[in-house]
């Protein structure tokens, strides 16, 4: 499983979604990203990353957040 995290500048990262495949996660981030300037991103409203300014992902959890409480395999059609 792959874990997608969002963060705001200077803030902690938060788990926003999980994915079964890395390619699926990266495709979702490409879709959700509207713009990037100097390492700060603007994301599609309604996406799991909408209120964040940056993202990263990992193959194992990096926070103690409950992965069942976030979207699993979200897609643009879920909006």
């Amino acid at each position: 499983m792959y874990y997608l995290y969002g963060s705001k500048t200077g803030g902690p990262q938060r788990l926003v979604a999980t994915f079964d495949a890395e390619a699926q996660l990266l495709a979702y981030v490409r879709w959700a990203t509207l713009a990037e300037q100097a390492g700060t991103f603007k994301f599609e409203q309604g996406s799991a990353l909408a209120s964040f300014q940056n993202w990263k992902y990992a193959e194992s959890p990096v926070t103690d957040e409950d992965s069942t409480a976030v979207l699993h395999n979200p897609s643009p059609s879920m909006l």
Side-chain angles (χ1 to χ4, degrees), residues 33-45:
T33 302
L34 296 174
E36 185 265 330
Q37 183 176 7
T40 299
F41 293 82
K42 181 174 178 158
F43 297 105
E44 185 78 42
Q45 291 299 321

Side-chain angles (χ1 to χ4, degrees), residues 17-53:
T18 58
F19 293 84
D20 290 328
E22 181 181 31
Q24 185 180 14
L25 180 150
L26 295 174
Y28 181 79
V29 170
R30 277 192 303 275
W31 165 80
T33 302
L34 296 174
E36 185 265 330
Q37 183 176 7
T40 299
F41 293 82
K42 181 174 178 158
F43 297 105
E44 185 78 42
Q45 291 299 321
S47 75
L49 291 164
S51 64
F52 297 98
Q53 298 170 324

Side-chain angles (χ1 to χ4, degrees), residues 1-2 7 9 13 17 19 21 24 27-28 30 34 40-41 44 50 53 55 59 64-65 67-68 71 75 77 79:
M1 180 143 37
Y2 292 85
S7 63
T9 303
Q13 60 188 355
F19 293 84
Q24 185 180 14
Y28 181 79
R30 277 192 303 275
L34 296 174
T40 299
F41 293 82
E44 185 78 42
Q53 298 170 324
W55 67 278
E59 290 185 50
D64 292 333
E65 295 170 90
S67 63
T68 63
L71 296 171
S75 68
S77 64
L79 298 176

